[in-house]
mmCIF file of all heavy atoms in Angstrom:
data_model
loop_
_atom_site.group_PDB
_atom_site.id
_atom_site.type_symbol
_atom_site.label_atom_id
_atom_site.label_comp_id
_atom_site.label_asym_id
_atom_site.label_seq_id
_atom_site.Cartn_x
_atom_site.Cartn_y
_atom_site.Cartn_z
ATOM 1 N N LYS L 826 -17.853 -56.639 -32.240
ATOM 2 C CA LYS L 826 -19.268 -56.356 -31.955
ATOM 3 C C LYS L 826 -19.663 -56.925 -30.595
ATOM 4 O O LYS L 826 -20.394 -56.300 -29.836
ATOM 5 C CB LYS L 826 -20.151 -56.948 -33.052
ATOM 6 C CG LYS L 826 -19.970 -56.268 -34.388
ATOM 7 C CD LYS L 826 -20.759 -56.977 -35.454
ATOM 8 C CE LYS L 826 -20.372 -56.443 -36.828
ATOM 9 N NZ LYS L 826 -20.838 -57.284 -37.898
ATOM 10 N N THR L 827 -19.178 -58.113 -30.271
ATOM 11 C CA THR L 827 -19.474 -58.737 -28.980
ATOM 12 C C THR L 827 -18.691 -58.057 -27.858
ATOM 13 O O THR L 827 -19.145 -58.015 -26.721
ATOM 14 C CB THR L 827 -19.136 -60.243 -29.031
ATOM 15 O OG1 THR L 827 -19.804 -60.828 -30.133
ATOM 16 C CG2 THR L 827 -19.555 -60.945 -27.759
ATOM 17 N N ALA L 828 -17.533 -57.512 -28.181
ATOM 18 C CA ALA L 828 -16.683 -56.885 -27.170
ATOM 19 C C ALA L 828 -17.404 -55.789 -26.411
ATOM 20 O O ALA L 828 -17.197 -55.614 -25.212
ATOM 21 C CB ALA L 828 -15.408 -56.339 -27.810
ATOM 22 N N ALA L 829 -18.259 -55.048 -27.084
ATOM 23 C CA ALA L 829 -18.965 -53.937 -26.437
ATOM 24 C C ALA L 829 -20.148 -54.408 -25.590
ATOM 25 O O ALA L 829 -20.620 -53.676 -24.733
ATOM 26 C CB ALA L 829 -19.439 -52.956 -27.502
ATOM 27 N N ASP L 830 -20.603 -55.607 -25.788
ATOM 28 C CA ASP L 830 -21.788 -56.123 -25.088
ATOM 29 C C ASP L 830 -21.360 -57.067 -23.969
ATOM 30 O O ASP L 830 -21.253 -58.269 -24.145
ATOM 31 C CB ASP L 830 -22.696 -56.845 -26.092
ATOM 32 C CG ASP L 830 -24.007 -57.305 -25.467
ATOM 33 O OD1 ASP L 830 -24.163 -57.176 -24.236
ATOM 34 O OD2 ASP L 830 -24.854 -57.801 -26.225
ATOM 35 N N ARG L 831 -21.109 -56.525 -22.779
ATOM 36 C CA ARG L 831 -20.617 -57.319 -21.649
ATOM 37 C C ARG L 831 -21.552 -58.461 -21.292
ATOM 38 O O ARG L 831 -21.099 -59.530 -20.913
ATOM 39 C CB ARG L 831 -20.395 -56.441 -20.426
ATOM 40 C CG ARG L 831 -19.203 -55.559 -20.544
ATOM 41 C CD ARG L 831 -19.014 -54.758 -19.254
ATOM 42 N NE ARG L 831 -17.870 -53.895 -19.369
ATOM 43 C CZ ARG L 831 -16.656 -54.251 -18.993
ATOM 44 N NH1 ARG L 831 -16.429 -55.425 -18.487
ATOM 45 N NH2 ARG L 831 -15.655 -53.416 -19.132
ATOM 46 N N GLY L 832 -22.845 -58.268 -21.396
ATOM 47 C CA GLY L 832 -23.807 -59.322 -21.072
ATOM 48 C C GLY L 832 -23.648 -60.528 -21.984
ATOM 49 O O GLY L 832 -23.689 -61.668 -21.535
ATOM 50 N N ARG L 833 -23.453 -60.290 -23.256
ATOM 51 C CA ARG L 833 -23.288 -61.368 -24.231
ATOM 52 C C ARG L 833 -21.955 -62.075 -24.059
ATOM 53 O O ARG L 833 -21.837 -63.259 -24.307
ATOM 54 C CB ARG L 833 -23.353 -60.800 -25.659
ATOM 55 C CG ARG L 833 -24.720 -60.901 -26.253
ATOM 56 C CD ARG L 833 -24.766 -60.401 -27.663
ATOM 57 N NE ARG L 833 -23.937 -61.163 -28.578
ATOM 58 C CZ ARG L 833 -23.554 -60.699 -29.756
ATOM 59 N NH1 ARG L 833 -23.903 -59.503 -30.150
ATOM 60 N NH2 ARG L 833 -22.807 -61.437 -30.543
ATOM 61 N N ARG L 834 -20.926 -61.337 -23.637
ATOM 62 C CA ARG L 834 -19.588 -61.919 -23.605
ATOM 63 C C ARG L 834 -19.332 -62.794 -22.385
ATOM 64 O O ARG L 834 -18.400 -63.560 -22.386
ATOM 65 C CB ARG L 834 -18.478 -60.900 -23.641
ATOM 66 C CG ARG L 834 -18.791 -59.513 -23.710
ATOM 67 C CD ARG L 834 -17.593 -58.649 -23.789
ATOM 68 N NE ARG L 834 -16.710 -58.709 -22.676
ATOM 69 C CZ ARG L 834 -15.929 -57.736 -22.326
ATOM 70 N NH1 ARG L 834 -15.916 -56.637 -22.995
ATOM 71 N NH2 ARG L 834 -15.134 -57.849 -21.313
ATOM 72 N N MET L 835 -20.135 -62.685 -21.335
ATOM 73 C CA MET L 835 -19.838 -63.401 -20.101
ATOM 74 C C MET L 835 -19.658 -64.898 -20.300
ATOM 75 O O MET L 835 -18.738 -65.480 -19.748
ATOM 76 C CB MET L 835 -20.923 -63.147 -19.066
ATOM 77 C CG MET L 835 -20.405 -62.470 -17.857
ATOM 78 S SD MET L 835 -21.787 -61.772 -16.997
ATOM 79 C CE MET L 835 -21.408 -62.334 -15.399
ATOM 80 N N ASN L 836 -20.501 -65.507 -21.062
ATOM 81 C CA ASN L 836 -20.413 -66.944 -21.292
ATOM 82 C C ASN L 836 -19.820 -67.271 -22.648
ATOM 83 O O ASN L 836 -19.910 -68.394 -23.112
ATOM 84 C CB ASN L 836 -21.800 -67.576 -21.169
ATOM 85 C CG ASN L 836 -22.342 -67.430 -19.765
ATOM 86 O OD1 ASN L 836 -21.598 -67.603 -18.799
ATOM 87 N ND2 ASN L 836 -23.607 -67.093 -19.651
ATOM 88 N N ASP L 837 -19.211 -66.292 -23.252
ATOM 89 C CA ASP L 837 -18.629 -66.456 -24.570
ATOM 90 C C ASP L 837 -17.346 -67.287 -24.477
ATOM 91 O O ASP L 837 -16.615 -67.221 -23.489
ATOM 92 C CB ASP L 837 -18.318 -65.074 -25.162
ATOM 93 C CG ASP L 837 -17.962 -65.139 -26.624
ATOM 94 O OD1 ASP L 837 -16.809 -65.478 -26.917
ATOM 95 O OD2 ASP L 837 -18.842 -64.850 -27.461
ATOM 96 N N LEU L 838 -17.083 -68.035 -25.511
ATOM 97 C CA LEU L 838 -15.870 -68.849 -25.602
ATOM 98 C C LEU L 838 -14.614 -67.994 -25.440
ATOM 99 O O LEU L 838 -13.607 -68.448 -24.927
ATOM 100 C CB LEU L 838 -15.848 -69.577 -26.955
ATOM 101 C CG LEU L 838 -14.625 -70.408 -27.296
ATOM 102 C CD1 LEU L 838 -14.492 -71.565 -26.308
ATOM 103 C CD2 LEU L 838 -14.743 -70.953 -28.708
ATOM 104 N N SER L 840 -14.255 -65.202 -23.558
ATOM 105 C CA SER L 840 -14.396 -64.262 -22.441
ATOM 106 C C SER L 840 -13.038 -63.827 -21.877
ATOM 107 O O SER L 840 -12.874 -62.669 -21.488
ATOM 108 C CB SER L 840 -15.275 -64.843 -21.340
ATOM 109 O OG SER L 840 -14.709 -66.008 -20.803
ATOM 110 N N TYR L 843 -11.753 -61.138 -24.064
ATOM 111 C CA TYR L 843 -12.456 -59.879 -23.830
ATOM 112 C C TYR L 843 -11.960 -59.200 -22.556
ATOM 113 O O TYR L 843 -11.856 -57.974 -22.501
ATOM 114 C CB TYR L 843 -13.967 -60.095 -23.770
ATOM 115 C CG TYR L 843 -14.559 -60.498 -25.100
ATOM 116 C CD1 TYR L 843 -15.346 -61.629 -25.207
ATOM 117 C CD2 TYR L 843 -14.322 -59.746 -26.246
ATOM 118 C CE1 TYR L 843 -15.890 -62.000 -26.439
ATOM 119 C CE2 TYR L 843 -14.852 -60.114 -27.466
ATOM 120 C CZ TYR L 843 -15.638 -61.243 -27.561
ATOM 121 O OH TYR L 843 -16.160 -61.602 -28.768
ATOM 122 N N ASP L 844 -11.654 -59.984 -21.524
ATOM 123 C CA ASP L 844 -11.074 -59.413 -20.300
ATOM 124 C C ASP L 844 -9.727 -58.763 -20.613
ATOM 125 O O ASP L 844 -9.392 -57.704 -20.078
ATOM 126 C CB ASP L 844 -10.906 -60.483 -19.223
ATOM 127 C CG ASP L 844 -12.235 -60.978 -18.675
ATOM 128 O OD1 ASP L 844 -13.267 -60.286 -18.865
ATOM 129 O OD2 ASP L 844 -12.247 -62.062 -18.067
ATOM 130 N N ASP L 847 -10.382 -55.515 -22.252
ATOM 131 C CA ASP L 847 -10.743 -54.520 -21.232
ATOM 132 C C ASP L 847 -9.497 -53.965 -20.546
ATOM 133 O O ASP L 847 -9.402 -52.761 -20.289
ATOM 134 C CB ASP L 847 -11.667 -55.124 -20.174
ATOM 135 C CG ASP L 847 -13.081 -55.344 -20.676
ATOM 136 O OD1 ASP L 847 -13.453 -54.786 -21.733
ATOM 137 O OD2 ASP L 847 -13.810 -56.090 -20.002
#
Side-chain angles (χ1 to χ4, degrees):
K826 293 174 190 166
T827 306
D830 185 354
R831 287 183 181 268
R833 265 182 63 198
R834 0 182 298 206
M835 242 162 132
N836 296 318
D837 191 280
L838 176 64
S840 62
Y843 292 127
D844 291 342
D847 286 345

